[in-house]
Amino acid sequence: MDSLLAWFTLFFLVALVLLLKQRRSRLLGAKKRPPGPPAWPVVGNIFNLGSVPHRNLYRLRLKYGPVIWLRLGCTNGLVIQSAKAAEELFKNHDVSFSDRKVPEAFTAHDYQKGSISLGRYGFKWRLVRRVVTVELMTHKRINDTALVRRKCIDNMIQNIEEDVAAAVARGETGELAVAHYVFVMAFNLIGNLVISQDLLNSHSKEGPEFFEAMDKVMEWSGKPNVADFLPFLKGLDPQRIKKKMERNLGRTLKVVDGFVKKRIEDRKLMKRREGRDFLDALLEYEGDGKNGPDEISAHRRLIIILEIFLLGQKLQAAPLNGHWRSCSATQNQ
């Protein structure tokens, strides 16, 4: 009995010391952190955001200033709401805040390990960024793709004219959703720049499947996931977002892998092809002989290509979402 009491007392003292130490560290950390509203247990400041987060954050600025500290579940967040504070952050603390928290959905198929937008800052990340910048975004490269961009725009105009004429022939008004054609054109433009191929046309079997799976990936990536704020729920995946992402992301990677394997086979057979696209640049990459790998891994190649399509789809959807404009036969004439 005395032994049991001694062990209980020892356990109680150790627990008390740990709690006091944790409380002291929190108090010291709170003094160093920016001001912010008090947080609720477990959920933190999630309820402070409400249904219109941008408005509620602005109201919090009036009380706590342009730099606010929030705790969203188990995740700490820093909110910057002034140009001066943003300049200070990106000018003097950019490396400290360069890494982004990876949403649980994008851990499917180790997407984050090859991603430019979600990858950890370091040599490999700078390597991928340099390849993408040089092969897609330099002034010379943009000028070299002028004919490709013109072809995609001409095809879009031709499709609009043909569909308007067909609608008028059927006795209809000839009104069309222009945004749909712009979306298809932009998607095919990315396809031509990356793999020299239209992905959305009547002759492509993989294109519609790829487009459909990409649309689902966009949906799951934008859906709020409680597991991102409460990490102890990651294993349970209560909303099944990661499971759905694994299925649809796997479909897109399978299609991209098919394109890559076909290109590799064509290169082995010495099949000639006009021009050089982004996929060629990835396959031809050789290291600088000093640091890093001598080639880009197969998995990273797939993720890079897929991310370019994802980025393009986000840029296309942003200005068009909810603003479907139409044209008629009269307007076209």
Side-chain angles (χ1 to χ4, degrees):
M1 195 70 181
D2 293 339
S3 177
L4 182 63
L5 182 61
W7 278 108
F8 179 79
T9 304
L10 179 63
F11 176 78
F12 176 77
L13 290 174
V14 171
L16 182 62
V17 169
L18 290 176
L19 287 173
L20 291 174
K21 185 177 180 181
Q22 185 179 19
R23 187 172 183 274
R24 182 172 178 271
S25 63
R26 285 182 178 177
L27 291 174
L28 292 174
K31 293 179 180 179
K32 299 178 182 179
R33 290 197 295 260
W40 288 84
V42 183
V43 296
N45 299 110
I46 290 179
F47 293 134
N48 292 101
L49 298 181
S51 57
V52 280
H54 59 289
R55 295 181 182 175
N56 291 326
L57 287 175
Y58 179 76
R59 294 190 185 100
L60 290 175
R61 178 192 176 184
L62 300 178
K63 183 176 181 180
Y64 297 102
V67 181
I68 304 173
W69 183 267
L70 296 178
R71 188 165 65 83
L72 306 176
C74 298
T75 302
N76 294 322
L78 187 67
V79 183
I80 306 294
Q81 298 195 82
S82 76
K84 185 177 180 181
E87 181 183 4
E88 172 69 19
L89 175 70
F90 290 114
K91 185 177 180 180
N92 300 321
H93 307 283
D94 57 330
V95 176
S96 300
F97 290 89
S98 58
D99 288 331
R100 291 183 58 188
K101 177 178 170 59
V102 179
E104 181 65 11
F106 277 110
T107 60
H109 297 282
D110 289 330
Y111 180 92
Q112 79 283 5
K113 294 183 179 180
S115 169
I116 303 175
S117 60
L118 298 175
R120 292 188 64 83
Y121 179 79
F123 175 79
K124 291 183 178 180
W125 181 86
R126 294 196 301 270
L127 160 69
V128 174
R129 185 191 63 174
R130 183 168 65 248
V131 172
V132 173
T133 301
V134 171
E135 297 297 335
L136 286 179
M137 301 179 184
T138 59
H139 187 70
K140 180 181 182 303
R141 185 58 182 159
I142 291 174
N143 288 338
D144 291 343
T145 60
L147 293 178
V148 175
R149 289 182 279 119
R150 169 51 60 187
K151 183 196 76 170
C152 291
I153 293 175
D154 289 343
N155 289 342
M156 179 189 69
I157 295 174
Q158 181 180 351
N159 290 334
I160 290 175
E161 291 175 346
E162 290 175 353
D163 289 353
V164 167
V168 172
R170 293 193 300 267
E172 300 174 1
T173 60
E175 276 194 359
L176 297 175
V178 176
H180 169 72
Y181 293 88
V182 174
F183 191 89
V184 172
M185 180 275 297
F187 198 78
N188 283 335
L189 173 59
I190 298 172
N192 277 272
L193 295 177
V194 177
I195 58 175
S196 299
Q197 182 176 331
D198 283 342
L199 291 178
L200 294 179
N201 58 51
S202 57
H203 305 291
S204 173
K205 295 180 180 179
E206 302 90 351
E209 179 187 357
F210 183 63
F211 181 80
E212 179 186 351
M214 284 278 291
D215 192 50
K216 288 295 182 181
V217 169
M218 290 285 294
E219 180 181 346
W220 306 134
S221 66
K223 193 177 183 65
N225 189 355
V226 67
D228 290 331
F229 305 106
L230 304 174
F232 56 85
L233 294 177
K234 287 182 179 181
L236 298 175
D237 191 19
Q239 296 169 265
R240 295 293 182 268
I241 291 179
K242 184 176 180 179
K243 183 178 180 180
K244 295 172 183 176
M245 179 66 91
E246 285 178 346
R247 181 175 64 250
N248 291 288
L249 192 59
R251 291 170 61 195
T252 60
L253 290 173
K254 183 179 179 181
V255 174
V256 173
D257 188 45
F259 291 137
V260 174
K261 287 181 177 178
K262 185 177 184 304
R263 179 65 58 82
I264 292 174
E265 188 65 26
D266 290 345
R267 290 166 68 92
K268 288 180 179 178
L269 297 174
M270 304 296 288
K271 288 187 178 181
R272 292 188 176 183
R273 191 175 51 80
E274 294 183 4
R276 178 175 178 272
D277 57 24
F278 184 68
L279 178 54
D280 287 326
L282 293 179
L283 293 173
E284 295 169 4
Y285 172 81
E286 295 180 355
D288 56 9
K290 299 178 181 179
N291 299 311
D294 294 331
E295 63 177 17
I296 298 175
S297 67
H299 178 262
R300 189 177 288 269
R301 269 200 306 261
L302 298 182
I303 299 299
I304 294 171
I305 293 172
L306 183 59
E307 188 155 71
I308 292 174
F309 278 101
L310 281 172
L311 177 60
Q313 196 167 1
K314 287 181 180 179
L315 293 176
Q316 297 159 31
L320 299 179
N321 188 27
H323 299 281
W324 290 85
R325 300 184 183 277
S326 63
C327 71
S328 64
T330 307
Q331 291 171 326
N332 212 31
Q333 293 170 357

